[in-house]
Amino acid sequence: MTDSLIIREIKEGNTDLYADLMNRYHRKVLAFIYHMLRNSQLELLAEDLCAETFYKAYRSLHTFREAEASFSTWLYTIARNTVLSELRKQRSLQVSLDEDNSIVPEAPKELTPEYTALRNEKVQLVREAINNLPEKQRSAIILREYDQLDYQEIANQLGQTVSSVKSLLFRARTSIKCQMEGYITDPGLKG
């Protein structure tokens, strides 16, 4: 059954079918939210924000218009806005986004502590670089690099054209590269 048919049935009163939509998109929406939150070390909120996203979508389903966007695009927009709202709320509570409270997977025991420390530092710098991106660039890079979506899927999720997505990704990668330049290039080697 397509999303359109399920939504039509739900709007006609068969609300039990909403569980089918949730099952269809839960994993992808949760992964999207988790990756948006990783940069702020708020990953533990991902499941709650995912549930909030589906609740908001259910409450607003009567406003959904197929002609304007696909259900998945509409749902990802709600998810993105829910995360951004939570991040604003966390910032207003003056939670430091600079502290890394996340759990970093352990490196194999044969690796030196120096290698592990440098790798963890690089991971944190990449997170900060992604977090510094404008919202559309950040969403595009997360969908591409973490969720492994192709350009068309990203375009559908963000309500953009494929060429716009390519442009967003190019600008995001360029910005990340510039932010990482000081880390990658040893300043002592410059003339």
Side-chain angles (χ1 to χ4, degrees), residues 8-191:
R8 198 170 300 128
E9 289 286 321
I10 293 169
K11 285 181 176 181
E12 291 175 5
N14 190 356
T15 56
D16 292 342
L17 287 177
Y18 192 69
D20 292 346
L21 282 178
M22 286 181 64
N23 290 334
R24 189 173 289 179
Y25 290 102
H26 183 268
R27 195 181 101 258
K28 288 182 178 182
V29 170
L30 181 61
F32 176 73
I33 290 172
Y34 179 81
H35 289 300
M36 282 191 77
L37 292 172
R38 277 185 80 178
N39 302 322
S40 304
Q41 291 81 43
L42 298 171
E43 299 93 334
L44 296 176
L45 296 176
E47 191 66 54
D48 290 343
L49 294 179
C50 185
E52 185 177 337
T53 296
F54 280 104
Y55 176 73
K56 286 177 178 178
Y58 179 75
R59 299 267 307 176
S60 301
L61 198 57
H62 66 282
T63 65
F64 171 69
R65 292 185 192 94
E66 271 183 86
E68 295 175 15
S70 69
F71 176 75
S72 60
T73 299
W74 184 72
L75 185 62
Y76 273 85
T77 301
I78 293 171
R80 186 175 61 246
N81 291 340
T82 300
V83 170
L84 293 174
S85 175
E86 181 63 29
L87 291 174
R88 280 190 294 275
K89 185 175 10 170
Q90 293 295 327
R91 284 186 189 124
S92 71
L93 296 173
Q94 298 180 352
V95 172
S96 173
L97 298 180
D98 296 333
E99 296 176 16
D100 185 7
N101 298 325
S102 63
I103 299 172
V104 178
E106 280 189 356
K109 300 214 185 272
E110 64 269 6
L111 295 176
T112 66
E114 293 85 8
Y115 177 86
T116 303
L118 287 173
R119 183 179 183 285
N120 290 344
E121 182 180 347
K122 185 175 178 183
V123 166
Q124 181 59 32
L125 288 170
V126 170
R127 284 182 184 170
E128 290 173 10
I130 291 172
N131 197 38
N132 290 333
L133 293 172
E135 186 265 323
K136 283 186 180 179
Q137 289 179 26
R138 183 173 56 240
S139 295
I141 201 86
I142 288 170
L143 290 170
R144 179 69 178 168
E145 301 302 330
Y146 291 102
D147 293 345
Q148 301 294 306
L149 298 183
D150 65 31
Y151 295 126
Q152 186 61 57
E153 290 171 319
I154 296 169
N156 292 341
Q157 300 303 331
L158 299 179
Q160 302 284 325
T161 64
V162 171
S163 60
S164 295
V165 167
K166 288 179 181 179
S167 177
L168 285 170
L169 289 169
F170 175 78
R171 290 194 312 263
R173 288 178 180 129
T174 302
S175 177
I176 291 168
K177 183 179 176 185
C178 287
Q179 291 180 61
M180 298 292 293
E181 202 168 76
Y183 179 78
I184 295 170
T185 305
D186 184 358
L189 296 178
K190 292 185 178 178

